[in-house]
Amino acid sequence: MITLTIDGKEVQVEQETTILAACEKAGAKVPTLCHEKKLLPFGACRICLVEVEGARTKFVPSCTTPVTEGMVVRTISDAIKKARQLILELLLISHPLDCPVCDKAGECSLQDLVYEYGVTANRFKRIKFTLPVDHNSYLIERDLNRCILCGKCARICSELQGVSEISFVNRGMRTKIGTDFDRPLNCEFCGQCIAVCPVGALTSKLFKYKARLWELKNIPTICPYCSNGCTLLLGIKDNQIKTVTSNDDIGINEGNLCAKGRFGYEFVASPQRLKKPLVKREGKFEEVDWDEALGLVVTKFNEIKTASGANSIGALGSARLTNEELYLFQHLIRQGLGTNNIDHGGGYSYQGLIGLKESLGYSASTNSIHEIRGTKAILLLRADLNETHPDIKIEVNLAINRNEAKLIVADNKRIKLSSMAVSNLIYKPGTELVLINGMINLLIKNDFIDKEFIKEKTKGFRELQSCVKKYTPEYVEKTCGVSPQELELATRTYAEAEKACIIVATGMGLCGNNRALALTASNLALLTGNIGKESSGVYILPEKNNSQGAVDMGIVPGFLPGYVSVDKPGYSAFQMLEPGKLKGMFIVGENPVMTYPLFDVQNALESLEFLVVQDMFMTPTAELADVILPVCSFAEKDGTYTNLEKRVQGIEKALPYPGETKPDLEIFIDLCKRMGCEISAEEVSKKVANLYEGAHKPWSSNGNNWKSKFIPVEAEGIKTAQDEFLFVSTGSHFYSGSLSAWSLHLLEIKGESCVELSYKDAKKIGLDEGEQVKISSKNAEIELKTRLSNNIPEGVAVVETHPLLNVMVLFGKEMMPIKGKISKVG
């Protein structure tokens, strides 16, 4: 610890602490413009100047100067005040005085400092810049005339996002922040640059002229999209969301947001929201009151139950419901209707969590999100984080750039993070299990394993050792297309790291055996002793904001809340959607017609005697319903969500119910009462809280008593003919399921769905960029436009999911990479 004196107050701080951080600890206010605590020190603006006794210069920048023992610092004096006034005057030489029309007014750091330091005139005169304003970029408006060259936008784009879309260009007085060749932005549109800009140079187009910042009431909530569990601040005025921002000190995301979190809120106020209950009569929907709608639901389900038995009814839930709603939904289905036919996510999207439960006894990622930045090696296994979980990508960037972690990317194509990897394992689609078994083979053969850990903390090693013998480097090369040298490098990199973690992305838009992936990842981590210690382990990244909660609350056919097995498991989602299997279904927040990989979902739903859909929108699934129950969005209700690290976070009602909509919880409570299984909201909240109170990691709660299991997984490759492609699916960071269909600006950026293939393959079959083609597999046939790329291996075609087109029908219920053909349309 270092002891220093700041404005007469003695303070102790750690070595390498900057003067600015020490001042914050001492409660001394030092102004900043270029400083951002989550970025590396930069020292561009000089507004943070302080006096240090004995220093060689009169003033020193506090944000870049480390403390020393016995240092005496003054943060305010007449000389310091004059120096800061001078700096502000210099900044104002070129800065336009257009505060009345600037959206940053009210939270502009420059405006605040000019007022605080009494800068009412400027001794320096010069013709101001008249740079063109960028109105052409999506979502973000750039007015470089207002820029003060603090560099925060370029630094966050590089340091945290790893994108480097903008940077300093030119030199001297002509220096500015820009893109190459001054083109519009073509990036991830996360809006991080907007968040850190201290002035109005970067602003949100969606917020422009909507309100003044001081008019907004900022209400914290949890993002409704991916499983990271980021905290949002909803800027509310006149009962409308005018903007979404964040706060560095609130939530696990440290103020970081992606495009969906920052700009994907439009669906809440969509004019297409359902406002009243609907009942279909003679093929047309009619508005009815809630009593009639719910009465009809109960009557029809009871009639089906009496005539055909409870097993003829099934239910699909959504991983976007709160924990309380999920618990109550399964209570309604199991106690009210008397069936275990309940599922979500197609029955496959959550299988990675089930795999971890089997192997480790814990059905969630083993470590916290922020521990990733402290690891020494990261294996990304089918995890294109830029597209699936952008804020987890930030943790990976921090680990690499600030902790010198080594990255291994195992994917069927090059991804954006591949450029930062020491090892890129580009395998043939569907062979990832062979690849990992090959790594396990090398670990055992080269004695890279933690024998003591295996002996004390695991069982089943001999069975695993026997299973992986055939997965030699030569076998892996033949099956996966990964050379022995590449396999050796990746295995050694992972094994030699003091702490290493494995990250696996899962979801309805990613084909592959999620359970088997989780098991092989767990086997790899257990062999090297990377379970049960900090900054290591296995991360299974579910798709939706409450995917973890949906499994914890028992929205599965095989167990109850808290993973208590049922006596007789019900049908899975795919089984329920076999035509003629059921007589009635209750679908809540799920849109199987657009998201399930089954070509005959519509036929199955049309064959039902009675279908109830509970949703915010008239989805293609809702159009087939007999009764539609309109519900509230995340911004209009209370409850809790559970993120991928099993952190339970609350949301609160920020907006009134639109029209006659109700929260899912209220609807379930009413239906439970009508079906004879009444339960109150308070009871549900207590049950949910009790479930999580006992949900501890085995290695943290049982000390030396826990043991994990090695579960061997056999795997093979997929053979294709010369004129066939191997199709795989991928997601997009602009979309999450079909919810994004009602966030129009996100749709506009990405445009239509496409199929991505290599230039060589395109040349072979005579295709150009953007050409309409027919994609066909044994399951289905769809039409897409081509996108040509150097990142795709020959013989592979990557199909991108889209909220307005179900591309997953190509893959069928097996949900594995599949062979098929591409041909020109017409």
PDB file of all heavy atoms in Angstrom, residues 225-228 319 349-350 352-353 363-365 388-389 504-508 510 539-549 551 642-645 736:
ATOM      1  N   TYR A 225     -33.374  -9.714 -23.906  1.00  0.00           N
ATOM      2  CA  TYR A 225     -32.848 -10.502 -25.020  1.00  0.00           C
ATOM      3  C   TYR A 225     -31.993 -11.681 -24.548  1.00  0.00           C
ATOM      4  O   TYR A 225     -32.515 -12.717 -24.203  1.00  0.00           O
ATOM      5  CB  TYR A 225     -32.091  -9.594 -25.985  1.00  0.00           C
ATOM      6  CG  TYR A 225     -33.021  -8.738 -26.832  1.00  0.00           C
ATOM      7  CD1 TYR A 225     -33.232  -7.398 -26.544  1.00  0.00           C
ATOM      8  CD2 TYR A 225     -33.708  -9.271 -27.910  1.00  0.00           C
ATOM      9  CE1 TYR A 225     -34.092  -6.611 -27.313  1.00  0.00           C
ATOM     10  CE2 TYR A 225     -34.574  -8.505 -28.686  1.00  0.00           C
ATOM     11  CZ  TYR A 225     -34.757  -7.187 -28.381  1.00  0.00           C
ATOM     12  OH  TYR A 225     -35.617  -6.419 -29.142  1.00  0.00           O
ATOM     13  N   CYS A 226     -30.667 -11.570 -24.516  1.00  0.00           N
ATOM     14  CA  CYS A 226     -29.834 -12.759 -24.272  1.00  0.00           C
ATOM     15  C   CYS A 226     -29.699 -13.054 -22.781  1.00  0.00           C
ATOM     16  O   CYS A 226     -30.209 -12.338 -21.927  1.00  0.00           O
ATOM     17  CB  CYS A 226     -28.476 -12.606 -24.945  1.00  0.00           C
ATOM     18  SG  CYS A 226     -27.216 -11.773 -23.950  1.00  0.00           S
ATOM     19  N   SER A 227     -28.936 -14.119 -22.477  1.00  0.00           N
ATOM     20  CA  SER A 227     -28.858 -14.634 -21.104  1.00  0.00           C
ATOM     21  C   SER A 227     -27.797 -13.959 -20.253  1.00  0.00           C
ATOM     22  O   SER A 227     -27.561 -14.371 -19.118  1.00  0.00           O
ATOM     23  CB  SER A 227     -28.592 -16.143 -21.148  1.00  0.00           C
ATOM     24  OG  SER A 227     -27.382 -16.413 -21.836  1.00  0.00           O
ATOM     25  N   ASN A 228     -27.127 -12.930 -20.792  1.00  0.00           N
ATOM     26  CA  ASN A 228     -26.093 -12.256 -20.013  1.00  0.00           C
ATOM     27  C   ASN A 228     -26.677 -11.567 -18.777  1.00  0.00           C
ATOM     28  O   ASN A 228     -26.036 -11.501 -17.734  1.00  0.00           O
ATOM     29  CB  ASN A 228     -25.376 -11.229 -20.889  1.00  0.00           C
ATOM     30  CG  ASN A 228     -24.042 -10.808 -20.328  1.00  0.00           C
ATOM     31  OD1 ASN A 228     -23.107 -11.594 -20.263  1.00  0.00           O
ATOM     32  ND2 ASN A 228     -23.941  -9.564 -19.896  1.00  0.00           N
ATOM     33  N   ALA A 319     -38.761 -18.911 -22.523  1.00  0.00           N
ATOM     34  CA  ALA A 319     -37.639 -18.521 -21.666  1.00  0.00           C
ATOM     35  C   ALA A 319     -37.553 -17.011 -21.503  1.00  0.00           C
ATOM     36  O   ALA A 319     -36.561 -16.504 -20.990  1.00  0.00           O
ATOM     37  CB  ALA A 319     -36.334 -19.057 -22.248  1.00  0.00           C
ATOM     38  N   SER A 349     -32.724 -26.592 -26.901  1.00  0.00           N
ATOM     39  CA  SER A 349     -31.862 -25.423 -26.683  1.00  0.00           C
ATOM     40  C   SER A 349     -31.228 -25.424 -25.299  1.00  0.00           C
ATOM     41  O   SER A 349     -30.172 -24.822 -25.096  1.00  0.00           O
ATOM     42  CB  SER A 349     -32.654 -24.129 -26.893  1.00  0.00           C
ATOM     43  OG  SER A 349     -33.647 -23.987 -25.909  1.00  0.00           O
ATOM     44  N   TYR A 350     -31.850 -26.094 -24.334  1.00  0.00           N
ATOM     45  CA  TYR A 350     -31.344 -26.099 -22.967  1.00  0.00           C
ATOM     46  C   TYR A 350     -30.562 -27.363 -22.615  1.00  0.00           C
ATOM     47  O   TYR A 350     -30.152 -27.553 -21.456  1.00  0.00           O
ATOM     48  CB  TYR A 350     -32.504 -25.945 -21.973  1.00  0.00           C
ATOM     49  CG  TYR A 350     -33.575 -26.996 -22.101  1.00  0.00           C
ATOM     50  CD1 TYR A 350     -33.438 -28.247 -21.505  1.00  0.00           C
ATOM     51  CD2 TYR A 350     -34.730 -26.737 -22.831  1.00  0.00           C
ATOM     52  CE1 TYR A 350     -34.424 -29.214 -21.629  1.00  0.00           C
ATOM     53  CE2 TYR A 350     -35.718 -27.707 -22.965  1.00  0.00           C
ATOM     54  CZ  TYR A 350     -35.561 -28.931 -22.353  1.00  0.00           C
ATOM     55  OH  TYR A 350     -36.545 -29.896 -22.481  1.00  0.00           O
ATOM     56  N   GLY A 352     -27.618 -28.297 -23.117  1.00  0.00           N
ATOM     57  CA  GLY A 352     -26.281 -28.070 -22.581  1.00  0.00           C
ATOM     58  C   GLY A 352     -26.292 -27.963 -21.071  1.00  0.00           C
ATOM     59  O   GLY A 352     -25.381 -28.467 -20.383  1.00  0.00           O
ATOM     60  N   LEU A 353     -27.304 -27.305 -20.521  1.00  0.00           N
ATOM     61  CA  LEU A 353     -27.423 -27.195 -19.064  1.00  0.00           C
ATOM     62  C   LEU A 353     -27.699 -28.556 -18.439  1.00  0.00           C
ATOM     63  O   LEU A 353     -27.194 -28.865 -17.351  1.00  0.00           O
ATOM     64  CB  LEU A 353     -28.548 -26.209 -18.708  1.00  0.00           C
ATOM     65  CG  LEU A 353     -28.368 -24.774 -19.217  1.00  0.00           C
ATOM     66  CD1 LEU A 353     -29.578 -23.929 -18.858  1.00  0.00           C
ATOM     67  CD2 LEU A 353     -27.105 -24.151 -18.646  1.00  0.00           C
ATOM     68  N   SER A 363     -26.396 -27.268 -12.854  1.00  0.00           N
ATOM     69  CA  SER A 363     -26.947 -27.000 -14.193  1.00  0.00           C
ATOM     70  C   SER A 363     -26.819 -25.544 -14.599  1.00  0.00           C
ATOM     71  O   SER A 363     -27.793 -24.891 -14.975  1.00  0.00           O
ATOM     72  CB  SER A 363     -28.429 -27.389 -14.209  1.00  0.00           C
ATOM     73  OG  SER A 363     -29.120 -26.602 -13.266  1.00  0.00           O
ATOM     74  N   ALA A 364     -25.623 -25.011 -14.533  1.00  0.00           N
ATOM     75  CA  ALA A 364     -25.376 -23.633 -14.976  1.00  0.00           C
ATOM     76  C   ALA A 364     -23.886 -23.477 -15.196  1.00  0.00           C
ATOM     77  O   ALA A 364     -23.087 -24.350 -14.838  1.00  0.00           O
ATOM     78  CB  ALA A 364     -25.878 -22.632 -13.933  1.00  0.00           C
ATOM     79  N   SER A 365     -23.507 -22.353 -15.792  1.00  0.00           N
ATOM     80  CA  SER A 365     -22.086 -22.065 -15.954  1.00  0.00           C
ATOM     81  C   SER A 365     -21.395 -22.126 -14.602  1.00  0.00           C
ATOM     82  O   SER A 365     -21.933 -21.676 -13.589  1.00  0.00           O
ATOM     83  CB  SER A 365     -21.900 -20.673 -16.571  1.00  0.00           C
ATOM     84  OG  SER A 365     -22.477 -20.631 -17.862  1.00  0.00           O
ATOM     85  N   THR A 388     -23.647 -13.979 -30.724  1.00  0.00           N
ATOM     86  CA  THR A 388     -24.559 -14.590 -29.749  1.00  0.00           C
ATOM     87  C   THR A 388     -24.606 -13.854 -28.413  1.00  0.00           C
ATOM     88  O   THR A 388     -25.674 -13.598 -27.883  1.00  0.00           O
ATOM     89  CB  THR A 388     -24.172 -16.060 -29.492  1.00  0.00           C
ATOM     90  OG1 THR A 388     -22.851 -16.127 -28.934  1.00  0.00           O
ATOM     91  CG2 THR A 388     -24.223 -16.868 -30.773  1.00  0.00           C
ATOM     92  N   HIS A 389     -23.439 -13.506 -27.858  1.00  0.00           N
ATOM     93  CA  HIS A 389     -23.383 -12.886 -26.525  1.00  0.00           C
ATOM     94  C   HIS A 389     -22.301 -11.797 -26.528  1.00  0.00           C
ATOM     95  O   HIS A 389     -21.188 -12.006 -26.020  1.00  0.00           O
ATOM     96  CB  HIS A 389     -23.071 -13.939 -25.458  1.00  0.00           C
ATOM     97  CG  HIS A 389     -24.139 -14.965 -25.287  1.00  0.00           C
ATOM     98  ND1 HIS A 389     -24.300 -16.019 -26.170  1.00  0.00           N
ATOM     99  CD2 HIS A 389     -25.112 -15.107 -24.348  1.00  0.00           C
ATOM    100  CE1 HIS A 389     -25.319 -16.758 -25.781  1.00  0.00           C
ATOM    101  NE2 HIS A 389     -25.833 -16.229 -24.694  1.00  0.00           N
ATOM    102  N   VAL A 504     -19.174 -22.279 -24.396  1.00  0.00           N
ATOM    103  CA  VAL A 504     -20.001 -22.935 -25.410  1.00  0.00           C
ATOM    104  C   VAL A 504     -21.295 -22.149 -25.557  1.00  0.00           C
ATOM    105  O   VAL A 504     -22.003 -21.920 -24.572  1.00  0.00           O
ATOM    106  CB  VAL A 504     -20.331 -24.394 -25.019  1.00  0.00           C
ATOM    107  CG1 VAL A 504     -21.117 -25.078 -26.134  1.00  0.00           C
ATOM    108  CG2 VAL A 504     -19.071 -25.173 -24.688  1.00  0.00           C
ATOM    109  N   ALA A 505     -21.622 -21.727 -26.768  1.00  0.00           N
ATOM    110  CA  ALA A 505     -22.894 -21.039 -27.016  1.00  0.00           C
ATOM    111  C   ALA A 505     -23.954 -22.059 -27.401  1.00  0.00           C
ATOM    112  O   ALA A 505     -23.672 -23.028 -28.108  1.00  0.00           O
ATOM    113  CB  ALA A 505     -22.735 -20.009 -28.122  1.00  0.00           C
ATOM    114  N   THR A 506     -25.166 -21.850 -26.918  1.00  0.00           N
ATOM    115  CA  THR A 506     -26.287 -22.729 -27.254  1.00  0.00           C
ATOM    116  C   THR A 506     -27.494 -21.886 -27.643  1.00  0.00           C
ATOM    117  O   THR A 506     -27.505 -20.677 -27.467  1.00  0.00           O
ATOM    118  CB  THR A 506     -26.669 -23.638 -26.069  1.00  0.00           C
ATOM    119  OG1 THR A 506     -27.128 -22.817 -24.971  1.00  0.00           O
ATOM    120  CG2 THR A 506     -25.487 -24.469 -25.589  1.00  0.00           C
ATOM    121  N   GLY A 507     -28.529 -22.535 -28.150  1.00  0.00           N
ATOM    122  CA  GLY A 507     -29.741 -21.801 -28.512  1.00  0.00           C
ATOM    123  C   GLY A 507     -30.473 -22.455 -29.654  1.00  0.00           C
ATOM    124  O   GLY A 507     -29.981 -23.388 -30.302  1.00  0.00           O
ATOM    125  N   MET A 508     -31.669 -21.953 -29.924  1.00  0.00           N
ATOM    126  CA  MET A 508     -32.515 -22.533 -30.949  1.00  0.00           C
ATOM    127  C   MET A 508     -32.000 -22.263 -32.355  1.00  0.00           C
ATOM    128  O   MET A 508     -32.413 -22.918 -33.302  1.00  0.00           O
ATOM    129  CB  MET A 508     -33.939 -22.009 -30.797  1.00  0.00           C
ATOM    130  CG  MET A 508     -34.592 -22.419 -29.482  1.00  0.00           C
ATOM    131  SD  MET A 508     -36.253 -21.773 -29.298  1.00  0.00           S
ATOM    132  CE  MET A 508     -37.131 -22.731 -30.517  1.00  0.00           C
ATOM    133  N   LEU A 510     -28.748 -22.499 -33.227  1.00  0.00           N
ATOM    134  CA  LEU A 510     -27.445 -23.133 -33.392  1.00  0.00           C
ATOM    135  C   LEU A 510     -27.630 -24.640 -33.443  1.00  0.00           C
ATOM    136  O   LEU A 510     -28.057 -25.257 -32.460  1.00  0.00           O
ATOM    137  CB  LEU A 510     -26.512 -22.763 -32.231  1.00  0.00           C
ATOM    138  CG  LEU A 510     -26.142 -21.282 -32.111  1.00  0.00           C
ATOM    139  CD1 LEU A 510     -25.344 -21.044 -30.844  1.00  0.00           C
ATOM    140  CD2 LEU A 510     -25.355 -20.819 -33.324  1.00  0.00           C
ATOM    141  N   TYR A 539     -18.466 -22.564 -19.339  1.00  0.00           N
ATOM    142  CA  TYR A 539     -19.571 -21.615 -19.484  1.00  0.00           C
ATOM    143  C   TYR A 539     -20.504 -22.119 -20.585  1.00  0.00           C
ATOM    144  O   TYR A 539     -20.092 -22.250 -21.739  1.00  0.00           O
ATOM    145  CB  TYR A 539     -19.058 -20.227 -19.863  1.00  0.00           C
ATOM    146  CG  TYR A 539     -18.297 -19.524 -18.773  1.00  0.00           C
ATOM    147  CD1 TYR A 539     -16.948 -19.787 -18.556  1.00  0.00           C
ATOM    148  CD2 TYR A 539     -18.921 -18.584 -17.956  1.00  0.00           C
ATOM    149  CE1 TYR A 539     -16.244 -19.142 -17.557  1.00  0.00           C
ATOM    150  CE2 TYR A 539     -18.226 -17.925 -16.958  1.00  0.00           C
ATOM    151  CZ  TYR A 539     -16.882 -18.210 -16.759  1.00  0.00           C
ATOM    152  OH  TYR A 539     -16.194 -17.562 -15.764  1.00  0.00           O
ATOM    153  N   ILE A 540     -21.727 -22.426 -20.214  1.00  0.00           N
ATOM    154  CA  ILE A 540     -22.766 -22.733 -21.194  1.00  0.00           C
ATOM    155  C   ILE A 540     -23.618 -21.481 -21.331  1.00  0.00           C
ATOM    156  O   ILE A 540     -24.231 -21.024 -20.367  1.00  0.00           O
ATOM    157  CB  ILE A 540     -23.636 -23.930 -20.742  1.00  0.00           C
ATOM    158  CG1 ILE A 540     -22.767 -25.185 -20.588  1.00  0.00           C
ATOM    159  CG2 ILE A 540     -24.764 -24.164 -21.739  1.00  0.00           C
ATOM    160  CD1 ILE A 540     -22.153 -25.691 -21.880  1.00  0.00           C
ATOM    161  N   LEU A 541     -23.634 -20.909 -22.528  1.00  0.00           N
ATOM    162  CA  LEU A 541     -24.335 -19.642 -22.743  1.00  0.00           C
ATOM    163  C   LEU A 541     -25.695 -19.907 -23.372  1.00  0.00           C
ATOM    164  O   LEU A 541     -25.783 -20.139 -24.578  1.00  0.00           O
ATOM    165  CB  LEU A 541     -23.514 -18.726 -23.661  1.00  0.00           C
ATOM    166  CG  LEU A 541     -22.039 -18.509 -23.288  1.00  0.00           C
ATOM    167  CD1 LEU A 541     -21.423 -17.500 -24.250  1.00  0.00           C
ATOM    168  CD2 LEU A 541     -21.881 -18.053 -21.849  1.00  0.00           C
ATOM    169  N   PRO A 542     -26.766 -19.882 -22.573  1.00  0.00           N
ATOM    170  CA  PRO A 542     -28.106 -20.072 -23.149  1.00  0.00           C
ATOM    171  C   PRO A 542     -28.498 -18.886 -24.015  1.00  0.00           C
ATOM    172  O   PRO A 542     -27.836 -17.844 -24.013  1.00  0.00           O
ATOM    173  CB  PRO A 542     -29.011 -20.181 -21.911  1.00  0.00           C
ATOM    174  CG  PRO A 542     -28.095 -20.410 -20.749  1.00  0.00           C
ATOM    175  CD  PRO A 542     -26.811 -19.729 -21.118  1.00  0.00           C
ATOM    176  N   GLU A 543     -29.614 -19.046 -24.732  1.00  0.00           N
ATOM    177  CA  GLU A 543     -29.983 -18.046 -25.727  1.00  0.00           C
ATOM    178  C   GLU A 543     -30.737 -16.860 -25.156  1.00  0.00           C
ATOM    179  O   GLU A 543     -30.414 -15.706 -25.443  1.00  0.00           O
ATOM    180  CB  GLU A 543     -30.848 -18.711 -26.801  1.00  0.00           C
ATOM    181  CG  GLU A 543     -31.289 -17.777 -27.906  1.00  0.00           C
ATOM    182  CD  GLU A 543     -32.210 -18.449 -28.901  1.00  0.00           C
ATOM    183  OE1 GLU A 543     -32.737 -19.531 -28.600  1.00  0.00           O
ATOM    184  OE2 GLU A 543     -32.410 -17.892 -29.986  1.00  0.00           O
ATOM    185  N   LYS A 544     -31.750 -17.095 -24.350  1.00  0.00           N
ATOM    186  CA  LYS A 544     -32.675 -16.024 -23.987  1.00  0.00           C
ATOM    187  C   LYS A 544     -32.458 -15.529 -22.555  1.00  0.00           C
ATOM    188  O   LYS A 544     -31.762 -16.142 -21.761  1.00  0.00           O
ATOM    189  CB  LYS A 544     -34.116 -16.497 -24.186  1.00  0.00           C
ATOM    190  CG  LYS A 544     -34.433 -16.814 -25.643  1.00  0.00           C
ATOM    191  CD  LYS A 544     -35.906 -17.133 -25.830  1.00  0.00           C
ATOM    192  CE  LYS A 544     -36.250 -17.309 -27.309  1.00  0.00           C
ATOM    193  NZ  LYS A 544     -35.680 -18.528 -27.884  1.00  0.00           N
ATOM    194  N   ASN A 545     -33.122 -14.397 -22.251  1.00  0.00           N
ATOM    195  CA  ASN A 545     -32.864 -13.721 -20.986  1.00  0.00           C
ATOM    196  C   ASN A 545     -33.198 -14.554 -19.759  1.00  0.00           C
ATOM    197  O   ASN A 545     -32.627 -14.347 -18.697  1.00  0.00           O
ATOM    198  CB  ASN A 545     -33.633 -12.395 -20.936  1.00  0.00           C
ATOM    199  CG  ASN A 545     -35.135 -12.586 -21.019  1.00  0.00           C
ATOM    200  OD1 ASN A 545     -35.613 -13.423 -21.778  1.00  0.00           O
ATOM    201  ND2 ASN A 545     -35.890 -11.823 -20.256  1.00  0.00           N
ATOM    202  N   ASN A 546     -34.120 -15.509 -19.861  1.00  0.00           N
ATOM    203  CA  ASN A 546     -34.400 -16.367 -18.704  1.00  0.00           C
ATOM    204  C   ASN A 546     -34.358 -17.844 -19.074  1.00  0.00           C
ATOM    205  O   ASN A 546     -35.117 -18.651 -18.541  1.00  0.00           O
ATOM    206  CB  ASN A 546     -35.748 -16.020 -18.069  1.00  0.00           C
ATOM    207  CG  ASN A 546     -35.796 -16.379 -16.590  1.00  0.00           C
ATOM    208  OD1 ASN A 546     -34.764 -16.486 -15.935  1.00  0.00           O
ATOM    209  ND2 ASN A 546     -36.977 -16.576 -16.049  1.00  0.00           N
ATOM    210  N   SER A 547     -33.454 -18.189 -19.980  1.00  0.00           N
ATOM    211  CA  SER A 547     -33.276 -19.598 -20.326  1.00  0.00           C
ATOM    212  C   SER A 547     -32.854 -20.413 -19.110  1.00  0.00           C
ATOM    213  O   SER A 547     -33.296 -21.552 -18.921  1.00  0.00           O
ATOM    214  CB  SER A 547     -32.213 -19.738 -21.427  1.00  0.00           C
ATOM    215  OG  SER A 547     -32.669 -19.224 -22.647  1.00  0.00           O
ATOM    216  N   GLN A 548     -32.001 -19.827 -18.279  1.00  0.00           N
ATOM    217  CA  GLN A 548     -31.586 -20.525 -17.063  1.00  0.00           C
ATOM    218  C   GLN A 548     -32.774 -20.721 -16.127  1.00  0.00           C
ATOM    219  O   GLN A 548     -32.991 -21.812 -15.585  1.00  0.00           O
ATOM    220  CB  GLN A 548     -30.493 -19.727 -16.352  1.00  0.00           C
ATOM    221  CG  GLN A 548     -29.936 -20.395 -15.110  1.00  0.00           C
ATOM    222  CD  GLN A 548     -29.166 -21.656 -15.401  1.00  0.00           C
ATOM    223  OE1 GLN A 548     -28.226 -21.651 -16.187  1.00  0.00           O
ATOM    224  NE2 GLN A 548     -29.554 -22.755 -14.785  1.00  0.00           N
ATOM    225  N   GLY A 549     -33.572 -19.692 -15.956  1.00  0.00           N
ATOM    226  CA  GLY A 549     -34.728 -19.785 -15.071  1.00  0.00           C
ATOM    227  C   GLY A 549     -35.764 -20.777 -15.552  1.00  0.00           C
ATOM    228  O   GLY A 549     -36.413 -21.454 -14.753  1.00  0.00           O
ATOM    229  N   VAL A 551     -35.287 -23.601 -17.044  1.00  0.00           N
ATOM    230  CA  VAL A 551     -34.889 -24.951 -16.635  1.00  0.00           C
ATOM    231  C   VAL A 551     -35.005 -25.093 -15.118  1.00  0.00           C
ATOM    232  O   VAL A 551     -35.517 -26.100 -14.611  1.00  0.00           O
ATOM    233  CB  VAL A 551     -33.454 -25.251 -17.108  1.00  0.00           C
ATOM    234  CG1 VAL A 551     -33.049 -26.675 -16.726  1.00  0.00           C
ATOM    235  CG2 VAL A 551     -33.343 -25.086 -18.615  1.00  0.00           C
ATOM    236  N   THR A 642     -33.187 -15.035 -14.233  1.00  0.00           N
ATOM    237  CA  THR A 642     -31.942 -15.672 -13.814  1.00  0.00           C
ATOM    238  C   THR A 642     -30.989 -15.707 -14.997  1.00  0.00           C
ATOM    239  O   THR A 642     -31.323 -16.277 -16.033  1.00  0.00           O
ATOM    240  CB  THR A 642     -32.199 -17.107 -13.310  1.00  0.00           C
ATOM    241  OG1 THR A 642     -33.230 -17.082 -12.331  1.00  0.00           O
ATOM    242  CG2 THR A 642     -30.939 -17.699 -12.704  1.00  0.00           C
ATOM    243  N   ASN A 643     -29.820 -15.112 -14.830  1.00  0.00           N
ATOM    244  CA  ASN A 643     -28.897 -15.050 -15.960  1.00  0.00           C
ATOM    245  C   ASN A 643     -28.045 -16.312 -16.050  1.00  0.00           C
ATOM    246  O   ASN A 643     -28.199 -17.255 -15.279  1.00  0.00           O
ATOM    247  CB  ASN A 643     -28.041 -13.783 -15.886  1.00  0.00           C
ATOM    248  CG  ASN A 643     -26.871 -13.916 -14.929  1.00  0.00           C
ATOM    249  OD1 ASN A 643     -26.900 -14.713 -13.993  1.00  0.00           O
ATOM    250  ND2 ASN A 643     -25.835 -13.146 -15.156  1.00  0.00           N
ATOM    251  N   LEU A 644     -27.114 -16.341 -16.988  1.00  0.00           N
ATOM    252  CA  LEU A 644     -26.349 -17.556 -17.280  1.00  0.00           C
ATOM    253  C   LEU A 644     -25.453 -17.989 -16.138  1.00  0.00           C
ATOM    254  O   LEU A 644     -25.047 -19.145 -16.067  1.00  0.00           O
ATOM    255  CB  LEU A 644     -25.530 -17.362 -18.557  1.00  0.00           C
ATOM    256  CG  LEU A 644     -24.428 -16.306 -18.565  1.00  0.00           C
ATOM    257  CD1 LEU A 644     -23.096 -16.864 -18.101  1.00  0.00           C
ATOM    258  CD2 LEU A 644     -24.270 -15.707 -19.953  1.00  0.00           C
ATOM    259  N   GLU A 645     -25.120 -17.095 -15.217  1.00  0.00           N
ATOM    260  CA  GLU A 645     -24.307 -17.472 -14.066  1.00  0.00           C
ATOM    261  C   GLU A 645     -25.178 -17.745 -12.839  1.00  0.00           C
ATOM    262  O   GLU A 645     -24.698 -17.841 -11.733  1.00  0.00           O
ATOM    263  CB  GLU A 645     -23.279 -16.379 -13.752  1.00  0.00           C
ATOM    264  CG  GLU A 645     -23.911 -15.036 -13.449  1.00  0.00           C
ATOM    265  CD  GLU A 645     -22.907 -13.913 -13.224  1.00  0.00           C
ATOM    266  OE1 GLU A 645     -21.702 -14.133 -13.446  1.00  0.00           O
ATOM    267  OE2 GLU A 645     -23.328 -12.834 -12.821  1.00  0.00           O
ATOM    268  N   SER A 736     -32.766 -12.008 -31.641  1.00  0.00           N
ATOM    269  CA  SER A 736     -32.846 -13.031 -30.598  1.00  0.00           C
ATOM    270  C   SER A 736     -34.225 -13.660 -30.695  1.00  0.00           C
ATOM    271  O   SER A 736     -35.210 -13.089 -30.260  1.00  0.00           O
ATOM    272  CB  SER A 736     -32.638 -12.423 -29.208  1.00  0.00           C
ATOM    273  OG  SER A 736     -32.780 -13.402 -28.205  1.00  0.00           O
TER     274      SER A 736
END
